[in-house]
Amino acid sequence: MASKSIFFRFIFSGFFIVFFSACSNKKSSVTDKKNTPNIILFVSDDHGIDALGSYGNSIIKTPNLDKLASEGIRFTNAYCTSASCAASRSVILSGLYGHATGSYGHVHDYHHFSTYDNVQSLSKRLSNAGYLTARIGKYHVAPESVYVFDEVLEADPRNTVEMANASVDFLNGDKPFFLYFCTDDPHRGDPFNPEPWDAPNNFGNKKEGYVGVEEVIYNPKDVLVPEFLPDTKETREEIAQYYQSVSRIDQGFGKLMAHLKNSGKIDNTIVIYISDNGMAFPGAKTTVYEPGIKLPCIIKDPTKTNKGITNSARISWVDLTPTILDMAQVDFNSDDFHGKSFYNILDTEKPKGWDKIYASHTFHEITMYYPMRVVIDGDYKLIWNIAYPLDYPFASDLWASSTWQAIYRNDQKYFGHKTVEAYINRPEFELFNLSKDPNESNNLANSDQYLDVFNAMKKKLKIFQQNTNDPWLIMWDNDASLQGTGVNL
């Protein structure tokens, strides 16, 4: 009997060793990792670097976002790929340029652009890896089967305080989480066609205010007018409304951070603040000029030792998905994305090899066909206006804005530092030296002195289009007969 007992103990022990060994060799999910970070991606709507204290605006009040910058990393050369809400958000959540995924423009109403259903989104990848994912506020991507989240939280997207309060239970959950927190502010608000025409848009502000929000009111005389805009009464009135909307974002952000602290998870949560595109004024939103695509990006990672620094790396929203997967310790194939992770240079002030980005805009509204492709490398920026024989199309809300109408109705020659003619009728190519001409006023594309630079930049743009399966690559030959022929790139 003793020998049998020893035999069975040996067999059982061997089974346990084999079983334990098999289990230990199984790849662990994020829920098995003690130090797996939570991640909050906070995305505002039409917020440029012009309206943040931490980016140099001395008038606007954004204390909570400024605190995030003082405790984290502020990027000074961060870019979206398309200055259009839906197109930009598809890139943020996929790591792929919109021209390669079918996300050419707006998804809603009759526009109906939609991402191909084989795309693996950030939220889906994180959910598959064991994260609990949730979204709240503006969505503006399609289809939902691609951009799927485990939970959808409900709140008024114009009231970020209410949004923050609606996120409390999610923040207090047991699993590592990814929260996609998207405001409607400071997007222009209804009505887009004001009556009278010179009434400023409200940018979502209401006379009665919002519950839980202490509205910050600005005097139009005090606002800072960017050089690309005309310094008029109408412009100043609209910027004052825009500032008020931004300050509402800041209050909600502060409330969200307070809830995160109360959850006990603030020291294990990476917080990212970005915008989808630049301010909703002509010359910024829907353009690929700097005010439209150069945006705020502030990241606080509690594990990083460098705090309150600026990072000069040129990064793009196409880099966000691989970067966030890196932050989350989720394995991925880098070939799945057009962007690349910048997590390893996050707290480096002047990282080498991060001086080039691309942009790709095709539509805003479906009636606004005006594809543009951009490369920025070092000091130089090249814009290819593929449909340059057409007048530059206006988004409906920007056309009706009192800022534009004050110029249009009074037959003014200039809109900011550009002529109205130059703004509406653009050349095929625009080449700028951003270090000497940050306002993009002096087009060097036709200068013999810059011919070598011009040709080199065009070559880079073509290679970019080839590498990202851009259907508009075909247009370099300028042969309209090839359109719709099914030519393979």
Side-chain angles (χ1 to χ4, degrees):
M1 292 294 292
S3 60
K4 286 185 177 181
S5 177
I6 293 171
F7 174 77
F8 282 114
R9 283 202 302 269
F10 175 77
I11 294 295
F12 179 80
S13 299
F15 173 78
F16 179 79
I17 290 170
V18 172
F19 177 79
F20 180 80
S21 176
C23 288
S24 63
N25 288 332
K26 184 180 178 181
K27 187 175 179 181
S28 61
S29 70
V30 296
T31 54
D32 299 321
K33 301 176 182 177
K34 293 181 180 179
N35 298 319
T36 300
N38 307 300
I39 299 169
I40 295 175
L41 178 58
F42 192 118
V43 185
S44 59
D45 195 356
D46 302 354
H47 185 195
I49 59 174
D50 55 274
L52 268 169
S54 56
Y55 279 85
N57 188 318
S58 59
I59 302 300
I60 197 163
K61 294 178 175 62
T62 52
N64 295 298
L65 289 167
D66 296 344
K67 181 182 179 184
L68 183 72
S70 70
E71 296 175 344
I73 296 98
R74 179 175 61 89
F75 282 85
T76 56
N77 288 296
Y79 289 81
C80 67
T81 64
S82 176
S84 182
C85 303
S88 180
R89 289 163 192 267
S90 74
V91 175
I92 292 168
L93 292 174
S94 72
L96 300 167
Y97 289 96
H99 62 241
T101 66
S103 303
Y104 303 127
H106 278 353
V107 302
H108 57 56
D109 298 330
Y110 55 87
H111 310 298
H112 201 57
F113 293 111
S114 185
T115 299
Y116 301 141
D117 58 13
N118 63 341
V119 171
Q120 292 292 308
S121 69
L122 171 62
S123 55
K124 183 177 288 187
R125 289 172 183 269
L126 289 174
S127 183
N128 289 342
Y131 269 79
L132 183 65
T133 65
R135 64 176 174 90
I136 186 170
K138 186 164 184 172
Y139 189 44
H140 216 35
V141 286
E144 193 167 358
S145 59
V146 168
Y147 302 106
V148 62
F149 289 79
D150 298 320
E151 297 184 18
V152 179
L153 310 179
E154 299 292 341
D156 182 353
R158 287 288 188 182
N159 186 341
T160 45
V161 170
E162 181 182 312
M163 291 173 67
N165 292 339
S167 304
V168 171
D169 288 345
F170 182 77
L171 297 178
N172 284 284
D174 295 329
K175 294 178 68 175
F177 67 76
F178 171 66
L179 176 60
Y180 183 57
F181 192 104
C182 301
T183 72
D184 272 5
D185 292 326
H187 193 287
R188 286 176 176 267
D190 288 329
F192 291 139
N193 290 288
E195 188 61 44
W197 69 265
D198 59 349
N201 186 268
N202 59 41
F203 287 81
N205 305 317
K206 299 189 299 185
K207 290 182 179 180
E208 66 274 21
Y210 291 87
V211 175
V213 177
E214 183 180 343
E215 295 287 348
V216 182
I217 309 299
Y218 293 89
N219 189 328
K221 294 180 180 178
D222 296 333
V223 304
L224 304 179
V225 180
E227 291 190 48
F228 73 92
L229 291 175
D231 191 348
T232 63
K233 170 180 175 291
E234 290 80 10
T235 299
R236 286 182 168 275
E237 288 175 344
E238 292 212 298
I239 291 178
Q241 294 290 321
Y242 165 61
Y243 280 11
Q244 182 177 341
S245 189
V246 170
S247 286
R248 187 164 53 253
I249 291 173
D250 186 79
Q251 283 197 42
F253 180 81
K255 179 64 71 173
L256 183 65
M257 292 302 99
H259 289 321
L260 181 64
K261 184 177 181 179
N262 291 337
S263 75
K265 298 178 181 179
I266 197 163
D267 291 329
N268 190 37
T269 302
I270 297 172
V271 180
I272 305 168
Y273 180 83
I274 62 170
S275 170
D276 58 358
N277 50 250
M279 66 190 302
F281 285 75
K285 183 177 180 177
T286 77
T287 80
V288 289
Y289 294 130
E290 295 291 280
I293 62 175
K294 189 174 182 179
L295 302 174
C297 179
I298 307 171
I299 302 177
K300 179 184 176 182
D301 181 344
T303 68
K304 300 299 181 182
T305 56
N306 287 338
K307 309 291 183 183
I309 68 169
T310 58
N311 187 318
S312 63
R314 277 207 180 101
I315 61 168
S316 167
W317 288 181
V318 78
D319 300 322
L320 284 171
T321 283
T323 299
I324 291 172
L325 291 175
D326 244 1
M327 292 172 169
Q329 306 167 35
V330 174
D331 291 337
F332 61 90
N333 185 340
S334 59
D335 292 338
D336 288 348
F337 307 111
H338 294 146
K340 59 182 179 179
S341 171
F342 56 80
Y343 190 47
N344 65 331
I345 57 98
L346 184 62
D347 59 347
T348 305
E349 293 191 355
K350 297 180 180 179
K352 295 182 179 179
W354 288 84
D355 50 8
K356 184 190 301 180
I357 62 103
Y358 298 92
S360 172
H361 179 97
T362 305
F363 288 89
H364 181 65
E365 299 164 24
I366 196 170
T367 52
M368 293 176 62
Y369 175 78
Y370 204 85
M372 298 172 283
R373 301 295 182 264
V374 179
V375 55
I376 304 176
D377 191 1
D379 291 337
Y380 293 100
K381 175 178 181 178
L382 178 67
I383 301 173
W384 180 27
N385 297 309
I386 299 173
Y388 70 96
L390 301 176
D391 288 354
Y392 186 80
F394 273 84
S396 52
D397 57 337
L398 300 187
W399 171 262
S401 70
S402 59
T403 294
W404 175 257
Q405 289 295 316
I407 302 300
Y408 176 74
R409 287 170 179 263
N410 292 306
D411 200 25
Q412 297 294 304
K413 182 177 181 180
Y414 282 91
F415 183 83
H417 57 75
K418 291 182 183 289
T419 65
V420 172
E421 173 64 21
Y423 184 75
I424 294 177
N425 297 300
R426 304 184 183 185
E428 183 175 10
F429 294 102
E430 297 175 84
L431 177 66
F432 303 110
N433 184 327
L434 294 177
S435 63
K436 296 179 179 179
D437 180 26
N439 290 324
E440 300 164 287
S441 299
N442 184 22
N443 185 7
L444 307 173
N446 296 318
S447 170
D448 291 340
Q449 181 181 350
Y450 292 93
L451 182 60
D452 289 344
V453 173
F454 180 43
N455 288 332
M457 296 290 277
K458 284 197 293 184
K459 184 176 180 180
K460 291 172 185 176
L461 205 53
K462 290 179 181 179
I463 293 172
F464 157 70
Q465 291 184 277
Q466 291 170 345
N467 291 340
T468 59
N469 298 316
D470 185 356
W472 278 263
L473 175 64
I474 202 173
M475 297 306 293
W476 281 102
D477 295 329
N478 215 19
D479 183 355
S481 66
L482 292 175
Q483 296 185 59
T485 63
V487 174
N488 292 320
L489 301 180

